[in-house]
Amino acid sequence: MKKTAEDYKHIKGWGIDADPKNDPTYPIKKRTDDEHDGYSWDRPAQQPIDIEVLHSNERPNVTAVFGTSVPPSGLSGMIRRQAFKYGEGSFAHWIPLMLADRVNVVEGIVDDLMHAKVPNIFAEQGMKAEWKHNPMGLLQKFAIGTAIATAAVVLLARRK
Amino acid sequence: MLAMNYRGPQRVRIDNMPMPEILHPEDVIVRVLRTCICGSDLHLYNGNVPDTRVGMTFGHEFVGEVVEMGSDVQKLKVGNRVLVPFNIACGKCAFCKQELYGNCHEANPQATAVGGIFGYSHTAGGYHGGQAEYVRVPYADVGPTIIPDEMDLDDAVMLTDVVPTGYQAAEMGGIQEGDTVVVFGAGPIGIMAAKCAWLFGAGRVIVIDREDYRLEFAKNYSNAEVYNFESLEDPVVFIKRTTDSLGADVCIDAVGAEAAGSAMQTITGRKLLLQAGSATGLHWAINSVKKGGIVSIVGVYGPTGNLVPIGNVVNKGITIRANQASVKRLLPKLIKHVQNGVINPKAMITHRIPLEEVSDAYRIFSDKLDNCIKPVLIPPSARS
């Protein structure tokens, strides 16, 4: 097979980690066989569960530590709670979570407004950088968006 | 404190957020000195990862200084500068004992298929990430590694994900001396995987991507042959033809869920979200590898089903090795490689951007503007 670099000396470190046993058919696991004993290890202390933590129905409990960034709330939270009734391999788990994420975006805007904050969506999308580095692309996006919106308005007006 | 705040697909901003607190005796609080945006953050940014909740802070690549400690932390002290691996690992469970730190069973209640990851949706544990001034780091005696005094912070931050993931991509390929290795994707991980392929004795390294500027970078940084797939009629046919019609010994998918190159995959995977992202890179890898060859996957895919050509995998007898990098296991070796000049991670950093400009930083990286390869965010408290 063609090789383009027959002399590898110019490549610093060439072959220094070569290991003929690094073959995927060769066991790579550092087997301890501890997993044969099931869920029996000396568990770390449990982080206090003082917020709602949804956990996979494929495990018996909440892990010893967990993130507390955004507990489920509102309509999106209700959808997420339903999703967690299903296993991780099920579309009934993931599709509702994706739906909840989209609902959550609307909740985020409402929450901003309730806190007297009008989200600057143009800035949040980083359009200042787009304008600086890709003005033609931005204008193109704007033109396409305008065309689609106009077409939609015309279509709706005709139906009436 | 200032922190990145996710507001919805392609909408992020900087906000004042509550300071993180010690919630477990093995936690520490770290003041962030450098944090990167990763290519896999873009899957979150684009709304492709389920259970990405509004109000989360992303960021799984960061280094910083310990400022507060839980009562059970033994190995760190306040003031230590630490490199924090992206995966959160307890060190005690059956998987951690096997050094499968990316598969810890005590860090992510929301899923069993993936471990805990900083700032990577609730699917990966619901932790706030490091694109902030401060971050809570659980299991502080296990993951965080003290940064050697002489090590540049820019090198250190690349050791939290990019270097070990690229290295493991090559390692999982089981590369044997003289092998032809094809890397799909010339993002930072793909570039690093190509670089590391040589360390395992590859005889030929090829990188395939769509962006010429990234390919040029890969050529210079990784000594790789580079090809723009848009200039090829069919990347798979090209690889076959350039490998005596047999296929490559090792193919690495370093793209994941947002691969370009296939209209069908783009529409079903990226636009309609009917599968967990576009699997174009994986398709090409499986179809380009020789029979009995090895496909190594480090590109991130969502958890739902993909239209993967699994029949080809079975029929060709391909061994697929895939995992999130076990950063902790790899760090001692990789730190030495950096110290000896074998790997120069900070050379991949093309943009240093104030954390306050996180919205623009995401746009630049996401849209591949300004020849961006790797952006680093620097919080205001780390600039003074």
Side-chain angles (χ1 to χ4, degrees):
Chain A
M1 229 171 271
K2 180 190 163 201
K3 294 179 180 58
T4 54
E6 296 294 350
D7 180 0
Y8 305 108
K9 283 178 190 162
H10 68 287
I11 297 172
K12 194 165 185 179
W14 183 83
I16 59 171
D17 290 338
D19 176 2
K21 288 182 178 171
N22 183 23
D23 177 334
T25 58
Y26 185 86
I28 60 163
K29 272 204 324 182
K30 246 193 164 179
R31 291 289 301 244
T32 61
D33 290 338
D34 281 358
E35 65 271 30
H36 294 166
D37 297 332
Y39 198 163
S40 61
W41 53 84
D42 181 19
R43 296 190 69 206
Q46 177 67 55
Q47 177 181 332
I49 305 174
D50 48 14
I51 60 164
E52 182 180 3
V53 183
L54 300 172
H55 76 84
S56 167
N57 67 356
E58 296 180 20
R59 56 173 302 121
N61 52 17
V62 172
T63 49
V65 306
F66 51 86
T68 56
S69 54
V70 187
S73 65
L75 177 59
S76 64
M78 290 166 66
I79 300 170
R80 293 190 210 284
R81 286 182 201 105
Q82 283 300 313
F84 273 83
K85 291 179 179 171
Y86 297 90
E88 290 167 52
S90 167
F91 279 97
H93 181 68
W94 298 114
I95 301 300
L97 286 178
M98 295 296 278
L99 173 66
D101 288 350
R102 300 302 177 264
V103 170
N104 197 197
V105 172
V106 179
E107 291 172 335
I109 291 171
V110 172
D111 188 56
D112 271 343
L113 295 174
M114 284 173 64
H115 288 87
K117 182 180 178 74
V118 179
N120 184 344
I121 290 174
F122 191 84
E124 288 172 354
Q125 291 182 326
M127 286 303 157
K128 196 176 87 181
E130 185 86 31
W131 179 245
K132 183 177 175 188
H133 298 292
N134 184 27
M136 289 310 293
L138 184 60
L139 289 173
Q140 203 175 12
K141 277 183 197 170
F142 182 73
I144 291 170
T146 307
I148 291 172
T150 308
V153 169
V154 170
L155 207 64
L156 287 171
R158 273 190 188 171
R159 280 189 182 171
K160 282 179 184 175
Chain B
M1 68 155 186
L2 293 179
M4 174 270 199
N5 184 350
Y6 172 74
R7 306 309 299 171
Q10 303 207 345
R11 282 179 53 220
V12 299
R13 69 186 183 218
I14 197 79
D15 268 339
N16 269 308
M17 309 264 271
M19 277 288 288
E21 295 173 17
I22 299 284
L23 300 173
H24 184 270
E26 295 173 55
D27 286 354
V28 295
I29 305 297
V30 166
R31 179 171 75 91
V32 177
L33 298 172
R34 296 281 188 284
T35 177
C36 295
I37 303 176
C38 177
S40 45
D41 284 330
L42 299 181
H43 307 320
L44 299 170
Y45 178 68
N46 290 325
N48 289 334
V49 179
D51 220 352
T52 303
R53 302 181 192 172
V54 168
M56 271 202 80
T57 296
F58 300 168
H60 55 271
E61 299 180 357
F62 61 93
V63 295
E65 177 188 358
V66 176
V67 293
E68 194 182 342
M69 300 207 308
S71 56
D72 287 356
V73 178
Q74 305 288 328
K75 295 181 183 170
L76 299 178
K77 291 177 186 161
V78 168
N80 282 156
R81 293 190 320 163
V82 288
L83 178 169
V84 183
F86 70 88
N87 25 43
I88 298 166
C90 74
K92 293 181 176 173
C93 71
F95 306 106
C96 284
K97 282 182 186 167
Q98 289 175 220
E99 297 184 333
L100 296 169
Y101 296 109
N103 305 101
C104 175
H105 213 64
E106 291 287 5
N108 177 14
Q110 279 90 349
T112 57
V114 63
I117 301 174
F118 291 98
Y120 213 79
S121 88
H122 280 67
T123 298
Y127 297 90
H128 276 309
Q131 289 167 11
E133 289 189 284
Y134 296 88
V135 60
R136 170 198 170 212
V137 175
Y139 299 136
D141 281 337
V142 181
T145 298
I146 295 173
I147 300 170
D149 286 340
E150 72 284 2
M151 181 172 277
D152 192 306
L153 287 176
D154 286 347
D155 279 330
V157 76
M158 297 292 275
L159 282 164
T160 61
D161 182 356
V162 176
V163 180
T165 300
Y167 186 90
Q168 187 168 306
E171 183 191 56
M172 290 193 301
I175 296 167
Q176 302 294 299
E177 197 169 312
D179 274 357
T180 295
V181 179
V182 179
V183 181
F184 292 97
I189 301 291
I191 293 169
M192 187 55 68
K195 173 93 175 170
C196 292
W198 296 114
L199 308 187
F200 291 95
R204 187 179 180 194
V205 179
I206 298 170
V207 176
I208 307 276
D209 196 88
R210 185 171 69 168
E211 302 291 335
D212 284 330
Y213 83 89
R214 303 207 313 179
L215 290 168
E216 188 63 21
F217 197 98
K219 185 173 153 189
N220 295 329
Y221 187 87
S222 311
N223 295 296
E225 284 175 59
V226 297
Y227 299 97
N228 188 322
F229 68 73
E230 290 201 327
S231 68
L232 306 171
E233 193 178 335
D234 182 335
V236 175
V237 174
F238 171 77
I239 295 297
K240 291 285 171 62
R241 286 188 180 152
T242 193
T243 52
D244 287 347
S245 301
L246 298 181
D249 299 290
V250 177
C251 283
I252 295 171
D253 172 3
V255 189
E258 294 189 83
S262 159
M264 197 275 281
Q265 290 276 354
T266 299
I267 291 166
T268 60
R270 295 168 66 191
K271 303 298 180 192
L272 300 177
L273 301 176
L274 292 175
Q275 53 170 338
S278 155
T280 309
L282 181 57
H283 266 262
W284 288 349
I286 290 170
N287 291 325
S288 300
V289 80
K290 71 179 184 184
K291 294 171 190 171
I294 299 163
V295 171
S296 167
I297 307 166
V298 287
V300 171
Y301 290 94
T304 42
N306 270 81
L307 302 174
V308 176
I310 191 69
N312 287 1
V313 177
V314 176
N315 289 336
K316 291 173 71 174
I318 298 168
T319 301
I320 292 181
R321 294 170 72 180
N323 206 338
Q324 301 282 352
S326 287
V327 176
K328 182 75 177 176
R329 176 174 65 82
L330 298 168
L331 271 181
K333 181 185 282 187
L334 294 175
I335 286 173
K336 272 188 190 167
H337 283 341
V338 172
Q339 288 172 329
N340 293 334
V342 170
I343 299 173
N344 179 10
K346 71 180 175 201
M348 297 180 75
I349 296 171
T350 51
H351 288 67
R352 289 174 176 76
I353 300 172
L355 177 65
E356 301 93 305
E357 297 173 23
V358 68
S359 312
D360 290 336
Y362 265 90
R363 176 58 55 190
I364 288 168
F365 191 41
S366 169
D367 283 7
K368 301 177 179 66
L369 304 175
D370 199 28
N371 290 347
C372 183
I373 296 286
K374 188 70 177 175
V376 169
L377 301 172
I378 306 176
S381 56
R383 298 200 297 271
S384 54

